[in-house]
Amino acid sequence: THCISSAASDVYKRQSMDNGGKGGEIQILGNTITLSGTALLDASGATGGGKIFVGGDYEGGANPPNNYASEPLQNASTLKIDKGAVMNADATVQGDGGVVINWADGTTVSSGSVSAKGGPLGGNGGFVEISGKQKLGFAGEVNLSATRGRIGTLLLDPDDLWIIGSGRDPNEESVTSQYKHYLDSSSDFYWYNETWVTTAPVITQPLGVIIDPAKIQADMIFSAANVYFTDRHTLTYEQTTVKWEGFGNLDRNEYKKFVENTYDLNPAQVVLSKSANLTITATGQIWMPVGSSVTATGTGQVSMDASSFNLQGSIQSESGNISLTSQTGVDLKGATLKSTDGGSFMITSSTGNIVLNGSQIEGTSGAVQITAPNSISIDNSSITTASGNIMILPEAVVMDELSIEIELGAVI
């Protein structure tokens, strides 16, 4: 266990010998690591930020050629970073921001502050990864800005990524029993969905991340098996047999029941910092329920690549492009894709179908391209652009109540 708290050793600082060069390297390694709210790790330097490793290297050292450390590092199993903890790898004069890695093979929960800014006289923002291989809870601050350069990149890379609203602490995971009902003094049963069961249902709230535009200045990459824009609550109870005997007017029936229902609370609204990009890669699905949204500003682009999509929320940009790429299919039900200043739209399925149902695609001068190898189904939807081309390129297209509006472009 490695705990950095309020002792004098809490302040770790590594710089070049002349105190005027590039920041040095800090490694905090151990099985269980805690950075308290008074911890300060500083690897800043005048000509460039250094490197800070807390819990391991890039993606846990899974791909050694991409490691940032010169030698393999020990991975933490759990990492906890309290609010108030600070990690700096800034370029303080001229140069690029440094590298900060927060990693655990199991669970990472973080409310700390990370900075890897480019120098005020020139230089790009740095690179930060905050990941728990299995679970991630995050409500911290990341500043990878660059006054005279390109903003840096933040990577979040857990197994499943839950992007939640501000209704609860994303660093808390809880399970609670519900629907308890007593039939007599010796037996208790639980009523759900017009069925009595003998095992209490539970509601599971997963760890999640909150993306606060006032606290995140970075391009963002989300990489996970599945990405959910919601605080997903799963209600489950075990299969059980209930025999009704001696309970008044209830019939003597035998029931077997297994239930798993999903409750989508606090749909997430992600707003990117000025001209920052968002890239999401999921080997499974990307799920945006009703009320969820992604908003990019300036030249910021939104790119999503997943095996499948279930989009019922909205994605909006100004002049940046919006791209959805799927291996098996794209399903837009009540979704809105919008660009207010010339961004293009590209929706592609490499092997599956594309469905637009009750959805809107609205642009100005950018093109709209929808491509699938098999079929595209468009129902009760609209595609609008002022001067861009609209291209719908499958082998089979089924359209029902499709509205297309275009002024200067063409429909192909």
Side-chain angles (χ1 to χ4, degrees), residues 58-289:
Y58 172 69
E59 294 185 334
N63 191 357
N66 293 332
N67 287 355
Y68 286 97
S70 57
E71 298 180 355
L73 303 181
Q74 175 188 353
N75 288 352
S77 60
T78 60
L79 172 60
K80 182 175 182 289
I81 302 174
D82 294 337
K83 185 177 181 179
V86 176
M87 290 158 279
N88 294 334
D90 299 324
T92 58
V93 181
Q94 185 170 9
D96 295 338
V99 174
V100 180
I101 306 293
N102 295 167
W103 175 270
D105 285 342
T107 299
T108 293
V109 294
S110 175
S111 297
S113 174
V114 181
S115 179
K117 296 180 292 186
L121 299 184
N124 300 321
F127 175 80
V128 171
E129 178 183 13
I130 301 175
S131 294
K133 185 176 182 180
Q134 296 179 7
K135 298 178 181 180
L136 174 64
F138 173 73
E141 301 183 22
V142 177
N143 188 345
L144 308 181
S145 61
T147 305
R148 299 187 177 183
R150 178 63 197 168
I151 197 170
T153 299
L154 167 64
L155 168 65
L156 304 179
D157 186 20
D159 185 11
D160 284 338
L161 181 61
W162 305 92
I163 308 167
I164 68 175
S166 57
R168 68 174 179 89
D169 186 346
N171 291 341
E172 291 184 358
E173 185 174 34
S174 63
V175 176
T176 59
S177 295
Q178 299 288 325
Y179 304 104
K180 189 172 184 179
H181 183 90
Y182 293 88
L183 287 183
D184 59 27
S185 59
S186 61
S187 301
D188 54 345
F189 289 77
Y190 305 89
W191 176 256
Y192 179 73
N193 198 25
E194 299 183 354
T195 303
W196 294 101
V197 293
T198 55
T199 303
V202 296
I203 290 179
T204 302
Q205 293 181 318
L207 294 174
V209 304
I210 290 179
I211 305 299
D212 186 338
K215 296 180 179 179
I216 306 294
Q217 297 185 57
D219 283 345
M220 290 189 290
I221 299 176
F222 301 159
S223 178
N226 301 290
V227 178
Y228 305 99
F229 282 74
T230 179
D231 177 4
R232 187 183 189 189
H233 290 47
T234 301
L235 174 68
T236 63
Y237 55 80
E238 299 174 1
Q239 178 172 304
T240 185
T241 298
V242 179
K243 291 184 178 180
W244 306 115
E245 295 179 356
F247 293 133
N249 295 325
L250 294 176
D251 294 333
R252 292 187 177 185
N253 296 318
E254 186 173 285
Y255 293 91
K256 291 184 178 180
K257 191 74 173 177
F258 180 86
V259 174
E260 179 172 316
N261 287 335
T262 298
Y263 294 82
D264 303 314
L265 305 178
N266 301 322
Q269 290 84 38
V270 175
V271 180
L272 308 181
S273 56
K274 185 67 173 180
S275 295
N277 301 319
L278 173 62
T279 301
I280 301 179
T281 302
T283 55
Q285 68 169 321
I286 296 175
W287 183 17
M288 293 184 65

